[in-house]
Amino acid sequence: MAIVVKHLLFVKIALAGMLVSLSSGAWAEADPKLWPVVKEAFFAQRPIEDNVPFIVLTAPKRAESGAQVPFSIAVDQTQADANAIKKIYIIVDANPIQLAATYHLTEQLGKFNLSTRIRLETDSFVRAIGETADGKLYMSAIAIRAAGGCGGTIDNDEAAVRASAGKIKMNIEAPASFGSPTAATFIIKHPMRTGLQRDLVSQGFLPAFYIKKADFVYNKKPVMTVDFGVGTSEDPYLKFNFIPATAGTLEVQAVDNEGKSFSHQTELKS
C-alpha cells in the first residue's frame, strides 16, 4: 500500500519540531506529542501494534553528531514466520522530512539485522514500523538526543562532490558460512543533501541531492531493496546479514534523485 503524505501535515510537524527546539533550547527532550500527527500523515487510521518485542532498535541515547547517528534494527523472525515483516519504515518524528528510509525484505536476509546511520535535526523518537504482506503494522521506537543534522551551511567544492558521488565500497565478511547469516557492508559516497542546507558563500538553499534507491541481489536473486530519504546520513552506510547458500556474487545497483545510476559487485568464494 502506497504511503500518502499530505503537505499541510508536513508543515504542522515541521512547525511542531521547531517549537520544541525554540522552547527548550538546543537539547529538547523527544516529544511524544508529534507522533499522532506523523502517524496521520503516513498511516492515516490504520492500527499499529506498539512496543512489539520482535523488532529491536539500538542507538545512542545522546548522539555525538545529529548528522551521523548510529542506528540498528533487528527483527527476530524470518520470512517463514506467520505475520512476517515484508517492509520496514524508519521514521524520525521531529525531522522536517520524517521518512528516513524504507527497507523491502526477502527470505535471503534470514532474521533481518542491519546497522546504518541516520540524521536528526533535534531530539526525537525514531520509529521502525514493520508491515506484513496483508498490511498489518507493528512498531518499536527509541528516543535519541541529537541536533542539527538536517540543515546548516555547507562549504565544499561542487565539482569535487559531483565527481566522487556514487563511488561504492562493498564487501562480505570472511570467513563466510554457507547457509548461515553472513555480514555484508555497503558504503556509497554521496552528500545526501536534504534541500534544507545553505551554501556558505551565497547563503542560498542547495537543492536536494541524494541516493534514492539501492537494489541488492545475490546470484541474481533479490536480497533487499532500500528506498533512501534525506534522513539517511551523508555517505550512506549499511551493514546487514544475509544467508548465502553457495559461493557467488553480491551486486548492488543504486540510483540518485537525478537519475544517475551506480553499480558494484563483490565475490564470495567457497
Side-chain angles (χ1 to χ4, degrees), residues 46-99:
R46 296 172 65 187
I48 301 178
E49 186 174 335
D50 197 359
N51 297 318
V52 294
F54 56 86
I55 300 176
V56 179
L57 309 182
T58 306
K61 290 183 179 179
R62 185 190 295 265
E64 292 183 6
S65 168
Q68 295 278 347
V69 180
F71 182 75
S72 297
I73 316 157
V75 179
D76 188 20
Q77 62 171 216
T78 71
Q79 294 300 303
D81 292 340
N83 285 331
I85 299 298
K86 301 293 185 181
K87 189 185 301 184
I88 296 178
Y89 308 98
I90 305 303
I91 291 180
V92 184
D93 288 6
N95 273 3
I97 300 171
Q98 293 79 31
L99 183 60

Side-chain angles (χ1 to χ4, degrees), residues 7-135:
H7 175 70
L8 289 177
L9 290 171
F10 266 136
V11 172
K12 287 181 185 178
I13 297 163
L15 289 174
M18 289 172 62
L19 288 172
V20 169
S21 297
L22 291 172
S23 64
S24 302
W27 294 101
E29 295 287 348
D31 185 359
K33 294 190 294 295
L34 295 176
W35 172 238
V37 183
V38 177
K39 180 183 180 298
E40 181 185 351
F42 286 93
F43 302 105
Q45 301 302 312
R46 296 172 65 187
I48 301 178
E49 186 174 335
D50 197 359
N51 297 318
V52 294
F54 56 86
I55 300 176
V56 179
L57 309 182
T58 306
K61 290 183 179 179
R62 185 190 295 265
E64 292 183 6
S65 168
Q68 295 278 347
V69 180
F71 182 75
S72 297
I73 316 157
V75 179
D76 188 20
Q77 62 171 216
T78 71
Q79 294 300 303
D81 292 340
N83 285 331
I85 299 298
K86 301 293 185 181
K87 189 185 301 184
I88 296 178
Y89 308 98
I90 305 303
I91 291 180
V92 184
D93 288 6
N95 273 3
I97 300 171
Q98 293 79 31
L99 183 60
T102 304
Y103 296 92
H104 304 263
L105 314 185
T106 75
E107 68 279 357
Q108 290 212 78
L109 293 165
K111 291 186 176 181
F112 185 59
N113 194 315
L114 176 137
S115 297
T116 186
R117 294 189 288 256
I118 59 176
R119 284 186 165 117
L120 269 72
E121 181 60 19
T122 188
D123 297 353
S124 183
F125 285 97
V126 180
R127 303 175 190 274
I129 294 95
E131 183 172 12
T132 65
D134 60 357

Side-chain angles (χ1 to χ4, degrees), residues 114-167:
L114 176 137
S115 297
T116 186
R117 294 189 288 256
I118 59 176
R119 284 186 165 117
L120 269 72
E121 181 60 19
T122 188
D123 297 353
S124 183
F125 285 97
V126 180
R127 303 175 190 274
I129 294 95
E131 183 172 12
T132 65
D134 60 357
K136 294 186 179 72
L137 298 172
Y138 301 91
M139 181 173 72
S140 286
I142 190 169
I144 305 174
R145 305 196 75 179
C150 299
T153 56
I154 297 175
D155 180 20
N156 55 29
D157 184 334
E158 183 68 13
V161 168
R162 294 276 173 173
S164 64
K167 293 182 177 179

